[in-house]
Amino acid sequence: MSRILVTGGLGGSGRWIVDRLAEEGHEVLCVDQRYAESERENVDVRVADLTDRGDVFDLVGAFDPDAVVHWAAIPDPLDHPGGEVFENNVVSTYNVLEAAGRADARVVWASSESALGFPFAAETPAPDYLPVDEDHPLRPEDPYGVSKEAGEALARTTVRRHDVPVVSIRPSWIQYPGEYVCLGNEPPEEGVGNFWSYIDVRDIAAIVVAALDADIEGHEAVFAVADENYADRETTELFAEQFGSVPEPCDLSGDDSSISNAKAADLLGWEPAHSWRDAADEDVDEPTV
Ligand SMILES: NC(=O)c1ccc[n+]([C@@H]2O[C@H](COP(=O)([O-])OP(=O)(O)OC[C@H]3O[C@@H](n4cnc5c(N)ncnc54)[C@H](O)[C@@H]3O)[C@@H](O)[C@H]2O)c1
C-alpha cells in the first residue's frame, strides 16, 4: 500500500484512476478545484487551485506521498482562452512536479498526444513516418499542445533537480465504455487530427498503475493508445484518402494504430485490453471516488 496523491481526480478520466488505485488498496488523496464527498474509506478529497503554489506545497508536504499522479489540466484549447489553457496547465504542472520532487515522490502525469502538434493544428500536417513513436518531433502550434510539451520539459527538469523518476503518459483520445464518441463508421476526415487513434479509459487507469510500478530511472514519455484505429478501415487507405499519399517509411498493416504503443509495452509491460469493437456499447459500473 502506498500513499498516492492524484490531481484532477474528479475529472472524466481522473475518476477512473482514483477508483483503480483505491481498489488496489492505496491511500489516495484526490485534489481537484471542486469538492465531492468520497464514498471510500481510503480516499480523501481536497479542494485546491493547483496554480496556487503555496496551496500545492502545503498539500503535498502534509500528505507526504510516495507517488503523485498529476492528471489535472484544461484538456483542450477550444472551450477556454488559449492563454488560460497554457497558464493553467504549465503553472500547475510546475507546482505539482516541484512539490513532488521536494517530497521525493515519483511522478506519473498526463502529457498528451497533442504534444505532437497534430490534433489542434489549423491544417493537420502528415506525420514524418508511420507509426508515430516517441522519437517523432513535437511541433505544437496551439496553446494546449505546447503546454504539454512544456510539461515534458518540466518533467525532465524535475528529474535533474530532484532525482525522482517521472513518466509522461501521452494518452490518445480517451473514450468511455458505453459512451464511445469515436465510432467505426465516422467520416474519416473527422478523425484526421490524431490519425483515427483512441484509448479506453480503463486502459488509461491500467497504464498509470503500470507506470507507478515500473522500475524506471529518469524521465520517459510513452504513448497510451489502442492497438487499432477506430475507423474500421485499413490505416494506410485512410492516409492515402486524406493526405494523397502514405508517409514513408511506413510499417503498418490492416487497421494498426498510426501511433505506436510498443514503447509502453516494452518499458511498462502494459498493453491495451479494450477495443472499440466491444467497449463502444459495453455496460460497466461508473467509477467510485
Ligand atoms: N480527454 C482526452 O482525450 C485526453 C487526451 C490526452 C491527454 N489528456 C489529459 O488527461 C488529463 C485528464 O483529462 P480529462 O479529459 O479527464 O479532463 P477533465 O477536464 O475531465 O478533468 C480534468 C480535471 O482537472 C481539474 N483541474 C484543471 N485545472 C485545475 C487546477 N488549476 N486546479 C485543480 N484542478 C484542476 C478539473 O477540475 C478536472 O476535474 C488532462 O491532463 C488532459 O490534458 C486527455
Side-chain angles (χ1 to χ4, degrees), residues 11-13 32-33 48-50 71-73 88 111-112 144 148 171-172 174:
S13 54
D32 210 302
Q33 57 197 350
D49 178 351
L50 299 166
W71 218 251
N88 182 72
S111 178
S112 175
Y144 175 65
K148 294 300 185 179
S172 186
I174 301 173

Side-chain angles (χ1 to χ4, degrees), residues 80 121 180:
H80 288 73
Y180 270 47

Side-chain angles (χ1 to χ4, degrees), residues 201-246:
V201 72
R202 293 164 293 178
D203 287 323
I204 286 294
I207 198 172
V208 168
V209 169
L212 287 168
D213 289 346
D215 187 13
I216 283 174
E217 287 180 17
H219 172 248
E220 297 287 351
V222 290
F223 286 110
V225 59
D227 286 332
E228 68 290 313
N229 71 50
Y230 62 76
D232 204 14
R233 303 258 311 267
E234 300 249 332
T235 310
T236 51
E237 210 179 275
L238 290 162
F239 274 93
E241 201 171 293
Q242 291 302 309
F243 293 97
S245 64
V246 179

Side-chain angles (χ1 to χ4, degrees), residues 125-169:
D128 294 3
Y129 55 85
L130 286 170
V132 172
D133 62 12
E134 289 79 359
D135 293 330
H136 194 285
L138 307 179
R139 301 188 188 109
E141 57 181 78
D142 70 278
Y144 175 65
V146 77
S147 79
K148 294 300 185 179
E149 185 184 24
E152 292 194 15
L154 291 168
R156 292 190 293 275
T157 296
T158 305
V159 170
R160 282 181 217 116
R161 194 168 155 93
H162 298 291
D163 199 22
V164 292
V166 182
V167 180
S168 299
I169 308 281

Side-chain angles (χ1 to χ4, degrees), residues 256-280:
D256 281 357
S257 172
S258 43
I259 301 179
S260 170
N261 57 27
K263 182 176 174 186
D266 287 351
L267 190 75
L268 309 178
W270 168 89
E271 286 177 8
H274 301 280
S275 160
W276 68 268
R277 291 193 163 84
D278 305 315

